[in-house]
């Protein structure tokens, strides 16, 4: 059972990262310098793949694809610590392989380091907001089909209302530092993003407990999530 769950998390993370980075590359090439059009295309692809992957893989692993989500599920007692460690390892590995896959599909150098600068208090606050909202949305979902559209809708909206374009995922953040493309982030700026994401995740958990979100009877053992 755990083996299937880990495979699900690794595959989902790989496809999610490949979509985020690959669609960013395609969008940048086709948008002719129009960043709004490029971001719109990047958003649409991410929303579509999120909804699909959560609905498809949610029943197997919970479809976390995100270390912040796995940590929160462990804190809630819904995921054993040993399983959470395995989830996080395959999520990071899967996302990094997804970056390599995106580069291969577009005939780009496989190993890169991003030069895209993303730093400062506004960016860090944005990541905290995006991740806390994500946790609230996840905790309010009762099944993968419910989570598929809610999580995808939140991330799609947060692409546009946050200054950071809503990474909201430490594994994706690491993978995006390996791509010098539209979706990239400079490696030196990754630690602050990840710290903001985990802080936002804890805030989201606190708010959910205050609001009694996720305490409904009959919730599944695995929480479908990004």
């Amino acid at each position: 059972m755990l083996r299937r769950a880990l495979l699900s998390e690794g595959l989902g993370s790989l496809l999610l990262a490949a979509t985020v980075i690959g669609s960013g590359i395609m969008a940048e090439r086709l948008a002719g310098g129009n960043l709004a059009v490029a971001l719109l295309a990047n958003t649409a692809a991410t929303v579509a793949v999120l909804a699909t992957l959560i609905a498809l893989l949610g029943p197997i692993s919970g479809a976390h694809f995100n270390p912040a989500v796995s940590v929160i599920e462990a804190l809630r007692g819904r995921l054993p610590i040993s399983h959470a460690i395995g989830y996080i390892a395959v999520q990071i590995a899967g996302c990094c392989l997804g970056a390599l896959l995106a580069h291969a599909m577009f005939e780009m150098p496989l190993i890169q380091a991003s030069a895209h600068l993303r730093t400062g208090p506004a960016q860090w606050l944005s990541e905290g907001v995006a991740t806390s909202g994500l946790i609230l949305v996840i905790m309010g979902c009762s099944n993968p089909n419910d989570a598929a559209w809610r999580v995808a809708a939140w991330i799609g909206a947060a692409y546009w209302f946050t200054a950071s374009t809503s990474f909201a995922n430490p594994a994706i953040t690491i993978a995006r530092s390996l791509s010098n493309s539209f979706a990239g982030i400079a490696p030196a700026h990754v630690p602050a993003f990840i710290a903001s994401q985990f802080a936002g995740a804890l805030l989201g958990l606190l708010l959910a407990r205050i609001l009694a979100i996720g305490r409904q009877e009959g919730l599944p053992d695995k929480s479908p999530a990004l």
Side-chain angles (χ1 to χ4, degrees), residues 9-19 91 94-95 97-99 101:
E9 286 295 302
L11 178 62
S13 298
L14 183 152
L15 294 174
L16 176 59
T19 300
Q91 288 159 1
C95 282
L97 289 174
L101 176 60

Side-chain angles (χ1 to χ4, degrees), residues 76-102:
R76 297 175 69 195
R78 291 158 61 95
L79 186 68
I81 297 295
S82 60
H83 291 195
I85 293 171
Y87 269 43
I88 291 168
V90 299
Q91 288 159 1
I92 295 172
C95 282
C96 291
L97 289 174
L100 300 183
L101 176 60

Side-chain angles (χ1 to χ4, degrees), residues 36 65 116 195 208:
F65 315 142
H116 196 149

Side-chain angles (χ1 to χ4, degrees), residues 9 13 16 50 54 57-58 61-81 83-89 91-92 95 127-141 147 150-152 154-155 166-173 193-205 209 221-226:
E9 286 295 302
S13 298
L16 176 59
L50 264 178
I54 291 170
L57 300 175
S61 67
H64 298 184
F65 315 142
N66 186 333
V69 172
S70 297
V71 166
I72 294 301
E73 291 300 271
L75 291 177
R76 297 175 69 195
R78 291 158 61 95
L79 186 68
I81 297 295
H83 291 195
I85 293 171
Y87 269 43
I88 291 168
Q91 288 159 1
I92 295 172
C95 282
E127 283 302 292
V129 170
T131 311
S132 62
L134 174 63
I135 297 301
L136 280 172
V137 170
I138 289 168
M139 290 183 65
C141 295
R150 291 190 184 187
V151 170
W154 171 259
I155 293 298
S166 180
F167 286 41
N169 182 332
I172 282 283
T173 304
F193 261 53
I194 291 177
S196 299
Q197 290 157 2
F198 277 116
L202 293 173
L203 176 60
L205 175 61
R209 288 181 171 173
D221 291 336
K222 296 187 182 72
S223 175
L226 172 60

Side-chain angles (χ1 to χ4, degrees), residues 174-223:
I174 293 170
R176 290 170 72 159
S177 74
L178 304 178
S179 182
N180 191 24
S181 64
F182 178 80
I185 175 174
H189 298 160
V190 167
F193 261 53
I194 291 177
S196 299
Q197 290 157 2
F198 277 116
L202 293 173
L203 176 60
L205 175 61
L206 176 62
L207 291 174
R209 288 181 171 173
I210 292 172
L211 297 171
I213 293 173
R215 294 183 184 174
Q216 303 92 331
E217 294 296 327
L219 285 177
D221 291 336
K222 296 187 182 72
S223 175

